[in-house]
Amino acid sequence: MLKFVFLGILLFSQSGAAQDPRAGSWTLVSAHSSEDPPNKLSIKALPDGVQVTMAGETHLDFTAKWNAHNTPVPSNPAFNQIEIHRINKRKVEVHEKKNGAEVATLRDQISPDGKELTITTVTEGHPDQVTVWTRNGGTKVPKDPFAGDWTEDLSKTRMRQGLTLKIEPEGDSVRFSGDFSYVGRFDGKQYDVRNSRNDTVQLALVDPHTVDAVYRRDNQVTQKDRWVVSADGKTMTLDTNSTLETGQRLAEKLIFQKK
């Protein structure tokens, strides 16, 4: 799966290398990413294409053309062709193929200020994977919008429980503390949950402001949550759907404000 992320940083540009806003050096933001490919990225604009170099535990170095047709990518076991389509000046869609058959689609977007690159990798039968990159050269690493202390807004929530939450980055993981707690990564694996009727949680990073959490008890799905942080980072909305031991189903929307 990690190999599918690599080509999401490519651009297709009809007006030449000078129009490539992604040229430069990038560093992976692990706290915002659902997987860990090589954590250093260099994009060099060429007259008729782009040269990509990635470094870390795995090294990758190749050149691709801006022609929106199948471009050979040698020495890569996951795919050997790519097709690049420019959506607009900040969005690109990349199709990775193996002997002509598509194996993954990557949708990448650069932020309006050009300092952050988000790549979403879509593969059939797997959860979507998100990686976030920050531009080197004095650019501040973006703050995790979920991190901090949160308090339930009782004026906007039907379920008035007075809940408080604390969310903290912990290396490549996230620590969640509330009426239950866990430490987990956005890698599709199940992690133990403490002080809960559920046994495990599985996390997926939909985008830098949205997280899906799936809870299981006795290996059966019992609860699905979606957490969304507002653009200003001050409000977090939880949509939760759960099934109790009695079989009763509950659906709630809770609003939290950052302290």
Side-chain angles (χ1 to χ4, degrees):
M1 177 70 74
L2 299 183
K3 297 181 179 66
F4 296 149
V5 174
F6 294 161
L7 295 184
I9 42 71
L10 295 173
L11 275 180
F12 167 69
S13 174
Q14 297 177 336
S15 55
Q19 300 300 316
D20 188 341
R22 271 165 272 201
S25 299
W26 302 83
T27 298
L28 182 72
V29 184
S30 294
H32 287 199
S33 301
S34 54
E35 57 182 352
D36 285 328
N39 57 13
K40 299 294 182 183
L41 165 66
S42 175
I43 306 171
K44 181 180 180 181
L46 303 175
D48 61 347
V50 60
Q51 181 181 5
V52 177
T53 304
M54 305 189 79
E57 292 185 1
T58 302
H59 182 81
L60 188 68
D61 191 341
F62 61 88
T63 299
K65 295 183 180 297
W66 294 321
N67 55 13
H69 299 299
N70 290 340
T71 299
V73 181
S75 303
N76 191 325
F79 53 89
N80 52 28
Q81 296 171 312
I82 60 168
E83 185 176 317
I84 310 171
H85 298 276
R86 185 179 179 89
I87 306 304
N88 58 40
K89 66 180 182 181
R90 293 193 294 113
K91 293 183 180 180
V92 166
E93 187 168 278
V94 179
H95 300 275
E96 298 175 349
K97 300 180 179 181
K98 181 76 169 182
N99 299 328
E102 186 165 321
V103 294
T105 299
L106 294 92
R107 302 183 179 102
D108 57 321
Q109 179 170 344
I110 196 166
S111 60
D113 61 8
K115 297 179 180 179
E116 185 176 289
L117 176 63
T118 301
I119 303 171
T120 302
T121 303
V122 180
T123 55
E124 186 176 355
H126 297 276
D128 292 355
Q129 301 294 322
V130 178
T131 55
V132 180
W133 305 78
T134 185
R135 190 185 293 276
N136 295 337
T139 301
K140 183 179 180 181
V141 175
K143 184 178 180 181
D144 186 344
F146 289 90
D149 296 308
W150 300 86
T151 301
E152 183 183 1
D153 188 336
L154 298 179
S155 67
K156 298 180 180 179
T157 303
R158 183 170 65 88
M159 185 182 291
R160 298 173 180 268
Q161 296 183 345
L163 298 175
T164 60
L165 308 175
K166 187 177 185 67
I167 301 175
E168 307 167 276
E170 187 169 297
D172 293 334
S173 303
V174 61
R175 177 180 292 275
F176 178 96
S177 304
D179 55 345
F180 58 88
S181 63
Y182 60 79
V183 177
R185 297 184 64 189
F186 302 105
D187 57 5
K189 298 180 181 179
Q190 296 183 43
Y191 293 92
D192 292 338
V193 181
R194 297 182 178 180
N195 301 320
S196 172
R197 64 185 181 86
N198 297 311
D199 299 326
T200 64
V201 63
Q202 182 181 17
L203 302 174
L205 190 68
V206 179
D207 59 50
H209 284 257
T210 308
V211 168
D212 283 345
V214 177
Y215 297 87
R216 289 177 171 82
R217 182 178 61 251
D218 297 329
N219 211 31
Q220 299 294 318
V221 174
T222 55
Q223 183 174 331
K224 293 184 178 180
D225 293 350
R226 169 159 285 194
W227 303 84
V228 180
V229 175
S230 59
D232 62 10
K234 297 179 180 179
T235 302
M236 183 167 63
T237 302
L238 166 63
D239 285 300
T240 179
N241 292 271
S242 60
T243 302
L244 302 180
E245 290 88 340
T246 60
Q248 180 183 3
R249 295 183 178 181
L250 298 177
E252 294 289 346
K253 181 186 292 289
L254 286 76
I255 308 296
F256 295 84
Q257 303 295 337
K258 183 170 285 188
K259 293 184 180 178

